[in-house]
Amino acid sequence: MIRVRKIAHAAYEMPDLEKQLEYYTDILGLTLVDRSKEAAYLASTVDHHSIVLSKGAESKCLRLGFQIAPDDDLDAFERQVQGHGVKTERKKDPEPTIADMVTFVDPKGTVMEVFRRGEFAGQRFPTKGIVPHKLGHVAFHCAEVKKVTNFYCDVLGFRVSDWMGEFFSFLRCGPDHHTINLMETGTNRHFHTAFEVRDWAHLQTACDHLSLNGYKLLWGPGRHGIGHNLFAYHRAPNGLITELFAELDRMNEELGYFEPRPWHRDRPQKPKVWAKDPSASNLWGILPTEEMMK
Ligand SMILES: [Fe+2]
């Protein structure tokens, strides 16, 4: 099968576009690279854009972009998706630097945009704001976690890294422990968008920068059990939650276990079903506030 290899971008809609744009540039430290009447494109790496913002009635994550490998066949990928009874659309030049794209909708209503990366845009990392390494993962509340998990695995080629009980799945499409995570809570909506920072020191600087600019943490800093990443969560101006993380587990696909780390309890740490235990959420002990689930 043809597997997607990387999350490329996430697209959001919100009533106050300008405020969210200011947050992404001045606070997070992404670069505004393109602006049309419909959308603002923000870059964080060599790719042209990682985040797309447009105006809408309510704040939500509309679309996720994924790359296939440079020598993968997009026509064959489209047939693979259709083979699962999923309706696809083909779009030529839909977004800057993307020439050809297959789109379809996942079972919880998020649009998937799959493409081959053409030219790199060669973005420099900016010098103001937090400046994360990259967009790392997007997490969703969902009504039917098994159905959506199977869709990402069967149609897009994701692999399951871990489950918490039967209600929370963590899925990878590359070496990172998770690029998509899905928590069954009865509704289909965005949970959080996560950006990778360098390390613990960068996370501290980021939390101070957030605080100086009036952003309070919702949860963290802590270290998750599942994925073992350092984390800190806050709410963006559009009301959606942003996570900053570092030291996320990395899978060695050939060996079938995550790169060993001193904080692992399993040796080696392999994909598994975790009990619904506080340490699966935070090895350091402090559990999420109710505010995290709003
Ligand atoms: Fe996360």
Side-chain angles (χ1 to χ4, degrees):
M1 81 179 298
I2 300 169
R3 298 173 185 276
V4 302
R5 307 301 179 109
K6 189 189 113 173
I7 188 165
H9 60 257
Y12 304 85
E13 196 171 80
M14 69 227 60
D16 194 341
L17 174 62
E18 295 310 318
K19 212 165 161 200
Q20 189 69 10
L21 192 53
E22 195 181 289
Y23 161 79
Y24 270 122
T25 52
D26 297 356
I27 307 299
L28 279 195
L30 305 189
T31 309
L32 178 64
V33 285
D34 213 330
R35 183 98 199 244
S36 67
K37 234 165 52 190
E38 296 79 37
Y41 296 89
L42 292 137
S44 71
T45 68
V46 292
D47 294 344
H48 180 268
H49 56 276
S50 302
I51 296 290
V52 185
L53 304 178
S54 55
K55 223 170 148 62
E58 52 174 322
S59 295
K60 58 183 175 187
C61 176
L62 295 173
R63 312 189 304 271
L64 295 176
F66 296 104
Q67 279 173 242
I68 53 174
D71 52 356
D72 281 340
D73 182 342
L74 195 61
D75 294 330
F77 179 80
E78 186 171 20
R79 287 193 297 276
Q80 172 181 301
V81 175
Q82 290 166 343
H84 292 275
V86 178
K87 200 170 151 282
T88 60
E89 265 187 73
R90 199 67 178 253
K91 291 182 179 162
K92 305 285 176 187
D93 297 316
E95 290 176 22
T97 72
I98 301 173
D100 191 3
M101 179 189 269
V102 173
T103 75
F104 48 99
V105 184
D106 79 7
K108 58 180 171 48
T110 311
V111 176
M112 309 280 96
E113 301 186 324
V114 178
F115 61 96
R116 277 190 307 218
R117 172 65 64 198
E119 291 299 300
F120 288 105
Q123 301 301 331
R124 280 169 188 240
F125 284 82
T127 53
K128 65 165 186 179
I130 291 167
V131 192
H133 280 174
K134 64 178 184 188
L135 170 66
H137 61 268
V138 186
F140 293 88
H141 294 269
C142 64
E144 294 178 290
V145 71
K146 290 232 165 77
K147 186 174 172 184
V148 185
T149 298
N150 289 342
F151 182 92
Y152 276 83
C153 292
D154 299 344
V155 178
L156 290 141
F158 276 75
R159 297 173 166 100
V160 175
S161 283
D162 277 312
W163 275 94
M164 194 196 294
E166 294 190 327
F167 71 99
F168 202 171
S169 66
F170 296 76
L171 313 176
R172 69 181 183 280
C173 63
D176 286 353
H177 178 278
H178 55 277
T179 294
I180 293 292
N181 32 347
L182 304 163
M183 180 169 59
E184 188 162 287
T185 56
T187 53
N188 291 322
R189 63 188 173 93
H190 175 268
F191 178 22
H192 63 264
T193 298
F195 294 90
E196 186 180 53
V197 296
R198 290 189 291 279
D199 53 18
W200 177 240
H202 193 193
L203 193 63
Q204 180 210 354
T205 312
C207 292
D208 279 329
H209 184 65
L210 286 170
S211 160
L212 284 167
N213 286 281
Y215 291 87
K216 300 256 188 293
L217 297 186
L218 297 174
W219 185 28
R223 185 185 291 286
H224 285 311
I226 300 176
H228 296 90
N229 45 314
L230 297 168
F231 66 85
Y233 294 87
H234 67 277
R235 203 174 284 285
N238 66 359
L240 302 181
I241 295 175
T242 300
E243 176 189 4
L244 301 173
F245 72 92
E247 297 184 348
L248 181 65
D249 282 343
R250 308 251 311 161
M251 169 56 81
N252 184 322
E253 216 61 69
E254 281 67 40
L255 299 178
Y257 58 83
F258 298 103
E259 294 289 345
R261 295 288 182 262
W263 40 81
H264 287 170
R265 269 51 165 180
D266 296 354
R267 288 172 290 274
Q269 189 75 48
K270 292 182 178 176
K272 67 170 182 176
V273 178
W274 293 63
K276 194 193 169 193
D277 181 90
S279 65
S281 296
N282 189 354
L283 289 169
W284 297 353
I286 300 158
L287 293 177
T289 54
E290 272 181 31
E291 174 68 15
M292 272 294 293
M293 292 302 143
K294 283 181 191 160

